[in-house]
Amino acid sequence: MFRNLKKPSFGIRARTIFLVTTVLVAALIVINIVWFTRVRSIITEQNEASQTQLGERAKLNIEEFINAKIRTLIVHSQTASFFSQDRTLQLAELTAFFLQDRDVTQLTVIGTDGIETLKLTPEKEFPADQLEDRSDDPAFAIPSFAYGIEYVGEIYYKEDGRPYFTISVPIAIPYYRNTLTNITTTLPGERRQLGDILGVLEAEISLEGLFGELTNISEETGATVYVIDRNGRVIAHPNTAFVIDRFDASTLPSVAQHIATIMSSTGDSHDEERVVFEYDNREDIRGFGTHAHISPVKWGVIVEQPTDTILAGLNNMVYFVGYFLLAGLFVSVLVAIWFSRQLTDPIITIAKGAQQLGKGDLRHRIQVNTKGELRALAQTLNGMAERLQKSRVSLEHDRNVIEAERNKISVVVENIVDGVIALDREGRVTLFNSSASEIIGVNQDEAVGQKIDTVLQLYDENDYPITSATYLQEKSSEEDPHYYYHGALHLDLENDQQRIVSLTAAGIESEGTDDLEVTAILLLHDITEEEELERMKLDFVSMAAHELRTPLTTLRGYLSLLQDEKVTNKLGKEDQ
């Protein structure tokens, strides 16, 4: 059923509007896509920089959290109670320690032999039978070694499901690096003298303090900041459920990159690793994530922020861009209509003008209010119309002259006593005057268009037929005038009558063209009466010569002639 439907026809104006609108809208779309992509890239880059800075900030806070615990532990190990190894004073010192730092959940004093000498929590003191031998424990072995290095242990979990880690420092005279904040128990390459280390002070630290710090940062920035250990498990998070559930985040790109880096030879270097990733987090929320390494514990700080939050401003601008595109479409249509009018109005005017000229109205002139090629085209068409009008006037004048000459020739030909016949190249009659009709006895209308041999049948004195092949012979050479004449030919008429005519045939030179309407002219002159009078004269002379021998015979001869009506009709009244 759709085969019979005609395709819609669009004029040049509609096509121009469509084309201009399409180009403008396409340009707007491309510009907005480029703009959107560029702005998104800029926002993403700014967010990456912001997240990286936030990760570094959280890293410094956590490192400061650990270092502050170490410094506090060193300071408390420098009291007289530890150097005098007075257990009562140590107990009082450590009890005060719990009051100063709520993150410390257990304190232990280990002697030089690795045996615990004092262990207590904020709630109780462990009895002597619960004190253990820690000589093989890294928390004792590392600080009590010759270099007196502070020790930070691995993360572990207690029955409450919360993470803890251990810090231990040697009980020895510390080193000061300019200020108290840089206090330490070891210097690179500096060995302790025998007897300098009097034992080890160990503290169990809860990571609860980090939760508040991370929560503050998250609320301040809108990002989620949490801490993982070297295996990718969450050890500090604003949402404690992740900590208690020991959530394994090692599959997240940022965490996986952190683990890969700390396990490599570069340690915690960022020089050859990708810091920011875009991925779906554990809650299937698309966002950006970055990481930072915490030395020397090899923990990692992860900063995550949802894409919607980052691009919220840009997403709001999408609506503005949509309205802008609609407005741009409306403006594009208006511009396209205006442009199409400027372009197509002259073309339509020229087209209508050309149609008028094509219909023959050469007096019409095309008027366009524009410049450039279209104006030049209109002027060219107007000039052509003016020249054609002049040519038409000239041709009409020439036609009138030719028509007048033709009429003159027709009048002359029709009034010629002799028969005039014009033939075309195929030997057909194209002109047949009234004298030829009277001589031959054929109507003019019947003769025109017929072959000449059908209309004109001539015979010589021997009754041999004279056809067109004889008097329309081809020209043999340039000197051949292509002329034929015969003085006495007879033709048969109706009622067994004959007429004697002379025939003159002449060809017409074509001068290089083969489309002439007339190629030969035949002239028939009726000499029937002349031939009859000539015969009568000959008879008279013959009879006169024969009969003059006697007057009577002469008189009888004259009388017999006078009795002939034909002779009498030829004589005037005086002769009679």
Side-chain angles (χ1 to χ4, degrees):
M1 61 178 292
F2 297 101
R3 294 181 178 177
N4 297 326
L5 294 177
K6 294 183 178 180
K7 293 182 178 180
S9 177
F10 298 98
I12 185 173
R13 177 170 295 173
R15 291 195 297 269
T16 303
I17 293 174
F18 175 77
L19 179 61
V20 174
T21 304
T22 302
V23 171
L24 292 177
V25 172
L28 287 175
I29 292 174
V30 170
I31 291 173
N32 280 279
I33 289 175
V34 173
W35 171 84
F36 182 84
T37 304
R38 180 55 182 162
V39 171
R40 189 181 191 278
S41 176
I42 292 174
I43 292 177
T44 302
E45 291 176 359
Q46 291 176 348
N47 176 71
E48 290 179 357
S50 175
Q51 281 194 320
T52 302
Q53 293 176 358
L54 183 59
E56 291 297 323
R57 171 188 166 186
K59 167 191 171 181
L60 293 176
N61 289 348
I62 295 171
E63 288 180 345
E64 177 59 26
F65 174 83
I66 298 173
N67 291 331
K69 303 303 181 186
I70 294 174
R71 289 197 301 270
T72 302
L73 197 60
I74 293 174
V75 170
H76 279 279
S77 70
Q78 301 304 304
T79 61
S81 62
F82 288 97
F83 287 109
S84 64
Q85 297 184 0
D86 187 335
R87 190 175 185 281
T88 302
L89 293 178
Q90 290 178 356
L91 180 60
E93 180 73 24
L94 296 181
T95 301
F97 195 165
F98 286 123
L99 296 177
Q100 295 175 4
D101 194 337
R102 299 294 182 179
D103 294 327
V104 178
T105 60
Q106 181 177 295
L107 291 171
T108 304
V109 180
I110 305 173
T112 56
D113 57 356
I115 303 297
E116 294 178 345
T117 61
L118 179 63
K119 180 189 295 185
L120 70 160
T121 65
E123 296 81 16
K124 68 175 182 176
E125 176 186 356
F126 287 83
D129 59 347
Q130 293 183 4
L131 299 179
E132 301 175 358
D133 183 358
R134 303 283 299 280
S135 58
D136 294 330
D137 193 331
F140 168 76
I142 292 177
S144 63
F145 188 62
Y147 293 97
I149 299 174
E150 300 100 350
Y151 170 79
V152 180
E154 297 288 340
I155 298 294
Y156 58 92
Y157 295 83
K158 289 189 174 182
E159 295 178 356
D160 59 1
R162 299 180 182 278
Y164 297 84
F165 72 101
T166 299
I167 297 176
S168 60
V169 298
I171 300 174
I173 298 175
Y175 298 103
Y176 294 89
R177 295 175 179 173
N178 301 326
T179 64
L180 184 62
T181 57
N182 291 325
I183 189 174
T184 182
T185 60
T186 182
L187 290 178
E190 187 74 22
R191 291 176 62 90
R192 291 282 183 173
Q193 298 294 324
L194 185 61
D196 285 350
I197 299 176
L198 303 178
V200 173
L201 178 59
E202 178 190 64
E204 180 184 74
I205 310 297
S206 172
L207 292 179
E208 289 285 346
L210 282 180
F211 297 169
E213 179 71 21
L214 298 180
T215 301
N216 293 335
I217 296 176
S218 298
E219 292 177 352
E220 177 184 345
T221 61
T224 300
V225 182
Y226 58 95
V227 183
I228 58 172
D229 63 10
R230 66 175 66 196
N231 297 316
R233 290 180 304 176
V234 177
I235 60 176
H237 196 285
N239 185 355
T240 57
F242 288 100
V243 179
I244 296 173
D245 294 340
R246 303 183 187 182
F247 180 78
D248 185 0
S250 59
T251 57
L252 299 179
S254 294
V255 179
Q257 182 65 56
H258 162 71
I259 296 172
T261 301
I262 64 175
M263 294 300 179
S264 66
S265 59
T266 57
D268 59 354
S269 173
H270 281 284
D271 295 340
E272 298 180 359
E273 67 172 328
R274 180 180 176 185
V275 178
V276 181
F277 297 84
E278 185 177 6
Y279 55 88
D280 295 332
N281 64 12
R282 59 211 162 276
E283 298 172 339
D284 294 328
I285 298 176
R286 193 72 175 173
F288 290 89
T290 186
H291 65 279
H293 309 297
I294 302 174
S295 300
V297 292
K298 299 189 181 301
W299 297 350
V301 177
I302 306 300
V303 180
E304 293 179 344
Q305 195 167 13
T307 304
D308 293 341
T309 302
I310 298 171
L311 303 179
L314 181 61
N315 292 334
N316 292 333
M317 294 183 67
V318 170
Y319 296 102
F320 171 77
V321 171
Y323 296 134
F324 177 75
L325 284 177
L326 291 178
L329 176 61
F330 177 74
V331 173
S332 299
V333 172
L334 295 181
V335 172
I337 293 174
W338 177 83
F339 181 77
S340 66
R341 287 184 178 275
Q342 296 295 317
L343 178 64
T344 60
D345 283 355
I347 296 177
I348 294 174
T349 302
I350 292 173
K352 291 181 178 179
Q355 291 177 353
Q356 289 295 110
L357 297 178
K359 292 177 181 179
D361 185 8
L362 298 179
R363 291 176 297 178
H364 178 76
R365 294 295 179 266
I366 302 173
Q367 303 294 333
V368 293
N369 298 322
T370 185
K371 297 181 180 180
E373 294 80 0
L374 294 178
R375 185 179 184 88
L377 177 60
Q379 292 176 347
T380 301
L381 291 175
N382 290 336
M384 181 183 68
E386 184 175 357
R387 291 191 296 271
L388 288 175
Q389 186 177 13
K390 292 180 180 179
S391 299
R392 173 188 281 182
V393 172
S394 178
L395 289 174
E396 288 180 352
H397 177 267
D398 294 342
R399 184 182 65 183
N400 293 335
V401 172
I402 293 172
E403 189 67 26
E405 293 297 327
R406 178 180 291 178
N407 292 335
K408 291 179 182 178
I409 294 174
S410 297
V411 172
V412 172
V413 170
E414 283 296 322
N415 290 279
I416 292 177
V417 178
D418 295 334
V420 178
I421 303 173
L423 305 177
D424 62 12
R425 185 170 297 279
E426 295 180 357
R428 297 183 183 275
V429 177
T430 59
L431 177 65
F432 199 80
N433 71 345
S434 57
S435 297
S437 176
E438 182 179 352
I439 294 172
I440 300 176
V442 178
N443 187 277
Q444 287 179 289
D445 296 335
E446 295 178 355
V448 174
Q450 298 293 325
K451 289 282 190 177
I452 188 59
D453 289 334
T454 303
V455 177
L456 182 61
Q457 298 176 356
L458 298 174
Y459 302 90
D460 60 8
E461 61 272 9
N462 298 320
D463 289 333
Y464 184 81
I466 303 299
T467 63
S468 60
T470 301
Y471 53 80
L472 295 179
Q473 58 188 350
E474 293 291 337
K475 187 175 181 180
S476 60
S477 63
E478 294 294 333
E479 292 78 13
D480 183 3
H482 194 61
Y483 177 80
Y484 177 86
Y485 174 78
H486 198 292
L489 298 173
H490 65 272
L491 53 87
D492 295 331
L493 302 178
E494 296 180 355
N495 301 324
D496 296 331
Q497 293 183 358
Q498 285 189 343
R499 193 179 296 276
I500 301 173
V501 296
S502 64
L503 173 64
T504 301
I508 298 177
E509 293 289 341
S510 62
E511 297 183 357
T513 180
D514 295 334
D515 56 357
L516 289 179
E517 183 179 357
V518 178
T519 59
I521 298 293
L522 304 182
L523 186 63
L524 296 176
H525 181 61
D526 188 358
I527 60 173
T528 303
E529 294 183 357
E530 285 84 348
E531 288 293 325
E532 184 67 22
L533 289 175
E534 185 66 26
R535 184 184 63 76
M536 291 174 64
K537 288 169 61 178
L538 292 176
D539 290 346
F540 177 76
V541 172
S542 176
M543 291 175 62
H546 179 71
E547 299 294 336
L548 282 178
R549 295 179 182 177
T550 60
L552 182 58
T553 302
T554 304
L555 291 173
R556 291 175 64 186
Y558 283 120
L559 290 174
S560 62
L561 290 173
L562 293 173
Q563 291 177 350
D564 191 345
E565 292 181 358
K566 294 181 179 181
V567 176
T568 304
N569 292 332
K570 299 293 182 179
L571 297 177
K573 293 182 178 181
E574 295 179 0
D575 293 333
Q576 292 179 1

